[in-house]
Amino acid sequence: MTKKTTTPIPCSQHDHKKCKKNALQRARQVCQKNKVRLTPIREKVLELIWQSHKPLGAYDILGMLSTEGQTAAPPTVYRALDFLLAQGLVHRIASQNAFIGCSLSSHPHVSQFLLCRDCGVAIEIEAPAITDAIAENAHQYGFSIDQNTIEISGLCQCCQQ
Amino acid sequence: MTKKTTTPIPCSQHDHKKCKKNALQRARQVCQKNKVRLTPIREKVLELIWQSHKPLGAYDILGMLSTEGQTAAPPTVYRALDFLLAQGLVHRIASQNAFIGCSLSSHPHVSQFLLCRDCGVAIEIEAPAITDAIAENAHQYGFSIDQNTIEISGLCQCCQQ
DNA sequence: AAATTAATGTTATAATGTATCAAATTTTAC
DNA sequence: GTAAAATTTGATACATTATAACATTAATTT
Ligand SMILES: [Zn+2]
Ligand SMILES: [Zn+2]
Ligand SMILES: [Zn+2]
Ligand SMILES: [Zn+2]
């Protein structure tokens, strides 16, 4: 039996080093299970994304990669991101043209985020009530769902004080 | 008492000329009420957006504007779009970097769309169940909502045959 | 080891969006 | 009615985000 992952609200104090370490370990497991390779570049990009809970732009990542000695061009980053997206290890935040590490990569789920406009934090939520309400509504239109983009912008608890 | 707006499923046959005419009329009313000006450029952009129920990119609009004799530069279109967004006359579809006419501009609502990946149609829905489920969930996190991006991609009824 | 596939490097370019300042138009104030 | 102020539009340049195309390297399979 696997230990339940307690998901801290990322804008508040938490052991982020652990947060990140867990994410990278999950990533290795996922890649092993999917029989795909988490190459050094891909892992590095994932690690950079996990440096915070704020979505990063591709060119932010590119900049970070480059300052670390390595030289990189846009396709390098976009390829790594495409890979990580395909494996469900990161999500794309369409409203920000940015990317965020997935907190729930160990099981299937749809992309649902609360996005703080002040501190920038992205809180990944798993809300069956939302998913169900959407499924129900889509069904009424005879619409079959592929993918959800649920991005709720506002102020997180910490930023309302 | 105002007549109830019957919203046809836009991928199926419907009187789109009427659809468009109604939208433009609503736009004039909204602008009058908000004491803002629906200038010729703004109206033209709105009209172009309403030529179909498929979201249009800013540069698509720009191209259409230019082929119609007028000469236009990107800021012209983006300004018009910003205006129309501010007045709630169009919505931005973040997952497509595109813009679509609002079918519900006569009353307050959040942005919720079903997007067909085959025919490209955007169906604006008004689903209190979704809105409520989101509000409930946000509340649990102490998150106060500004804006929703609800974009459900899949296949519309017509494209499943 | 050779052949095949997958991943990365490299260059160029496409697509989307904004900053800035000048000119014209509309609105407001007198 | 006219001058001043504010809004809107024109025009140029540029910033940001993303992809196409092809060469090279590395890993996997036969
Ligand atoms: Zn953390
Ligand atoms: Zn996730
Ligand atoms: Zn129509
Ligand atoms: Zn709407």
Side-chain angles (χ1 to χ4, degrees):
Chain A
M1 140 159 194
T2 51
K3 198 168 71 179
K4 181 165 189 270
T5 309
T6 61
T7 313
I9 301 179
C11 58
S12 60
Q13 289 299 339
H14 69 284
D15 183 352
H16 185 62
K17 198 171 285 185
K18 185 174 163 191
C19 216
K20 181 174 167 182
K21 191 177 139 202
N22 286 347
L24 290 173
Q25 185 168 353
R26 277 201 313 277
R28 285 181 214 106
Q29 290 170 356
V30 165
C31 289
Q32 191 162 14
K33 195 176 67 178
N34 295 357
K35 296 192 185 6
V36 294
R37 298 195 305 140
L38 189 62
T39 62
I41 290 180
R42 291 166 177 174
E43 186 167 6
K44 184 67 194 168
V45 168
L46 184 60
E47 199 183 329
L48 288 171
I49 285 178
W50 270 101
Q51 280 187 358
S52 81
H53 288 275
K54 304 178 186 179
L56 274 188
Y59 281 76
D60 295 331
I61 296 168
L62 189 58
M64 291 170 170
L65 269 184
S66 298
T67 57
E68 306 208 1
Q70 318 184 33
T71 165
T76 300
V77 169
Y78 281 102
R79 281 170 187 150
L81 288 171
D82 285 346
F83 171 86
L84 296 170
L85 285 168
Q87 303 308 317
L89 297 172
V90 308
H91 293 282
R92 182 168 204 281
I93 304 298
S95 58
Q96 298 179 4
N97 294 332
F99 302 85
I100 183 77
C102 174
S103 301
L104 308 169
S105 51
S106 34
H107 67 283
H109 63 283
V110 301
S111 174
Q112 300 177 331
F113 285 90
L114 306 179
L115 304 171
C116 182
R117 68 170 150 81
D118 192 37
C119 71
V121 82
I123 305 172
E124 180 162 12
I125 63 178
E126 193 174 19
I130 299 175
T131 313
D132 292 350
I134 288 171
E136 162 98 6
N137 218 269
H139 182 72
Q140 283 175 23
Y141 284 86
F143 189 94
S144 82
I145 298 177
D146 280 348
Q147 202 178 23
N148 285 5
T149 301
I150 311 294
E151 300 175 11
I152 313 302
S153 295
L155 282 181
C156 76
Q157 193 161 38
C158 315
C159 291
Q160 286 174 54
Q161 318 293 335
Chain B
M1 141 164 195
T2 51
K3 200 169 71 179
K4 181 165 190 268
T5 309
T6 60
T7 313
I9 301 180
C11 58
S12 61
Q13 289 299 339
H14 70 283
D15 183 354
H16 185 63
K17 197 172 287 187
K18 185 174 162 192
C19 217
K20 182 173 165 181
K21 191 178 137 201
N22 286 347
L24 290 173
Q25 186 169 352
R26 277 200 313 277
R28 284 182 214 105
Q29 290 170 357
V30 166
C31 289
Q32 191 162 12
K33 195 177 66 180
N34 294 359
K35 296 191 184 8
V36 294
R37 299 194 306 141
L38 189 60
T39 62
I41 291 180
R42 292 165 176 175
E43 186 167 8
K44 184 68 195 170
V45 168
L46 184 60
E47 199 183 329
L48 288 171
I49 286 178
W50 269 101
Q51 280 190 355
S52 81
H53 289 275
K54 303 178 185 179
L56 274 188
Y59 279 78
D60 295 331
I61 297 168
L62 188 59
M64 291 171 172
L65 269 183
S66 298
T67 59
E68 305 208 2
Q70 320 185 30
T71 166
T76 300
V77 169
Y78 281 102
R79 282 170 188 152
L81 288 171
D82 286 346
F83 171 86
L84 295 170
L85 285 168
Q87 304 307 319
L89 297 171
V90 307
H91 293 283
R92 180 162 203 278
I93 304 297
S95 58
Q96 298 180 5
N97 294 333
F99 302 85
I100 183 77
C102 175
S103 302
L104 310 169
S105 51
S106 34
H107 66 283
H109 62 283
V110 301
S111 173
Q112 300 178 331
F113 285 91
L114 306 179
L115 305 171
C116 181
R117 68 171 150 80
D118 191 38
C119 71
V121 81
I123 305 172
E124 179 162 15
I125 65 178
E126 193 172 20
I130 299 174
T131 313
D132 292 350
I134 289 171
E136 162 96 6
N137 218 270
H139 182 71
Q140 283 175 25
Y141 283 86
F143 189 93
S144 81
I145 298 178
D146 279 348
Q147 201 177 24
N148 284 5
T149 300
I150 312 294
E151 301 174 10
I152 314 302
S153 295
L155 283 181
C156 75
Q157 194 161 36
C158 315
C159 292
Q160 285 175 54
Q161 318 294 334

